[in-house]
Amino acid sequence: MTVSLPRGTDLTDRAAAVLAEAAAARATVVLTGHVQPDADALGSTLALAEGLRRRGARVLATFPDPFVLPASLTWLPGVEGLVPSSAVPASPDVFVSLDAASPARLGELAALLERAATSVVVDHHASNPGFGRVRVVDPGAPATVVLVADLLDGLGVALDQRLATCLYAGLAADTGSFRFGNTRPDTHGLAARLLDTGIDHAAISQRLFDTAPFGWLGLLSVVAGRAVLEPEVGAGLVWTWSSTAEAAEHGLPGEQLEALVDVVRTIQEADVACVLKGQDDGSWSVSLRSRGATDVARVAVALGGGGHRAAAGFSWTADRESAIRALRGELGGR
Ligand code: MN
């Protein structure tokens, strides 16, 4: 049985029914977000795990190796209960994938898509090709936590501060604090429901967006200083690069590289912003952002990655210049 489940339909209810049935049977449910989880992936995982636990399921929440949380997310309620992928059963009753655009984004846990008795895929990436047995995939949803909130409603789990904190973190992160075009009237409706529980949304936002070690200023000055503007490429391209090794020189973990693109994407002469992030293994993790005219999900997919129209990425194993050449080729001339 393979069912596609756009949200807001009875098929969403059907996914909730599958999960409710599993919970009532005290089934073993393994939940995971994508590799190198962000606030949406982790918030979705922790909130749905807690909801299913309250309904009686035997829940294991995990994420793919490396089993290291970004410092910006270690405060999320429930992270202390996360277990490494090596600690989850190889053939659970139910496997739930959250915020993963493809099986590859599940790393070693992708094997559970086949080994679990049932798999449920909850995601909002436009590039999601459709995988898993039961699918709640809605590219119109601004965040996976929105779909999880629907599932919790379907499960009859009341929102409290613990759940709302996880959901709000994902919602604020994936909408850029409700600035991005993916924000809809019902996005603010959900935010209002979450704030109604009494969560400290200002503290959540400060932890997510406005907290960095002093060394970040040093790294930013170097990375911003080497930025290149190519107005003739596509609708304009601005790009720069850094690496986990360079972050370490400034006393920073590699995850601090993720915030660089938020500065680079403010440049008005370029529709597309690109930050190449050198990884420990020598490969490049490439972040793309669009100010609106360019579909960077299409560009990223063409280069082996994925994402959303305004925010996407891909991995590159060859040198930096070849990555930029390939990017220029996809963006084309003016
Ligand atoms: Mn997401």
Side-chain angles (χ1 to χ4, degrees):
M1 176 191 68
T2 296
V3 203
S4 275
L5 300 168
R7 68 184 276 271
T9 70
D10 58 342
L11 293 173
T12 309
D13 298 339
R14 195 162 165 188
V18 167
L19 293 172
E21 192 181 319
R26 299 188 61 76
T28 299
V29 183
V30 171
L31 301 98
T32 185
H34 57 72
V35 67
Q36 294 177 328
D38 55 16
D40 191 28
L42 270 179
S44 295
T45 301
L46 294 172
L48 189 55
E50 178 63 18
L52 288 169
R53 197 173 284 124
R54 290 179 190 177
R55 289 298 307 269
R58 302 169 196 273
V59 173
L60 293 122
T62 184
F63 60 89
D65 285 334
F67 190 65
V68 182
L69 277 178
S72 62
L73 298 176
T74 53
W75 55 274
L76 279 171
V79 290
E80 66 284 351
L82 289 164
V83 298
S85 62
S86 57
V88 306
S91 304
D93 299 312
V94 181
F95 174 64
V96 185
S97 163
L98 296 139
D99 201 41
S102 67
R105 296 280 286 158
L106 296 171
E108 71 279 10
L109 286 159
L112 274 70
L113 287 166
E114 297 303 324
R115 292 199 194 127
T118 303
S119 57
V120 179
V121 170
V122 186
D123 185 39
H124 70 125
H125 290 89
S127 60
N128 191 307
F131 62 98
R133 192 79 49 84
V134 179
R135 301 169 188 174
V136 185
V137 178
D138 180 4
T144 296
V145 291
V146 171
L147 306 172
V148 169
D150 285 348
L151 290 172
L152 290 172
D153 288 344
L155 285 163
V157 175
L159 296 182
D160 59 8
Q161 290 193 16
R162 181 189 175 102
L163 295 168
T165 296
C166 294
L167 297 174
Y168 191 86
L171 193 63
D174 271 31
T175 60
S177 298
F178 309 96
R179 287 173 298 160
F180 300 161
N182 59 6
T183 300
R184 309 181 301 200
D186 62 350
T187 312
H188 285 290
L190 176 58
R193 279 185 68 199
L194 300 177
L195 264 56
D196 262 341
T197 66
I199 55 169
D200 189 345
H201 62 92
I204 294 171
S205 291
Q206 186 180 61
R207 284 167 170 158
L208 286 177
F209 310 118
D210 297 334
T211 301
F214 180 66
W216 195 73
L217 286 179
L219 176 70
L220 179 62
S221 70
V222 173
V223 175
R226 66 164 72 108
V228 178
L229 177 65
E230 303 190 27
E232 71 285 358
V233 174
L237 168 67
V238 59
W239 64 273
T240 187
W241 63 273
S242 186
S243 67
T244 52
E246 187 171 65
E249 288 170 22
H250 293 267
L252 301 170
E255 75 203 48
Q256 289 292 153
L257 299 173
E258 301 306 316
L260 292 169
V261 75
D262 287 326
V263 175
V264 180
R265 70 181 174 79
T266 60
I267 302 312
Q268 63 182 9
E269 293 92 337
D271 190 59
V272 172
C274 169
V275 175
L276 301 99
K277 299 162 291 181
Q279 303 299 298
D280 292 344
D281 64 2
S283 70
W284 295 92
S285 171
V286 184
S287 296
L288 300 173
R289 297 290 184 273
S290 165
R291 291 176 64 81
T294 310
D295 180 357
V296 289
R298 182 199 62 76
V299 172
V301 167
L303 298 173
H308 310 284
R309 193 176 193 286
F314 64 95
S315 295
W316 197 259
T317 51
D319 61 299
R320 191 170 71 227
E321 256 313 313
S322 69
I324 286 295
R325 268 201 308 276
L327 180 59
R328 287 190 195 107
E330 286 301 324
L331 292 171
R334 235 194 231 288

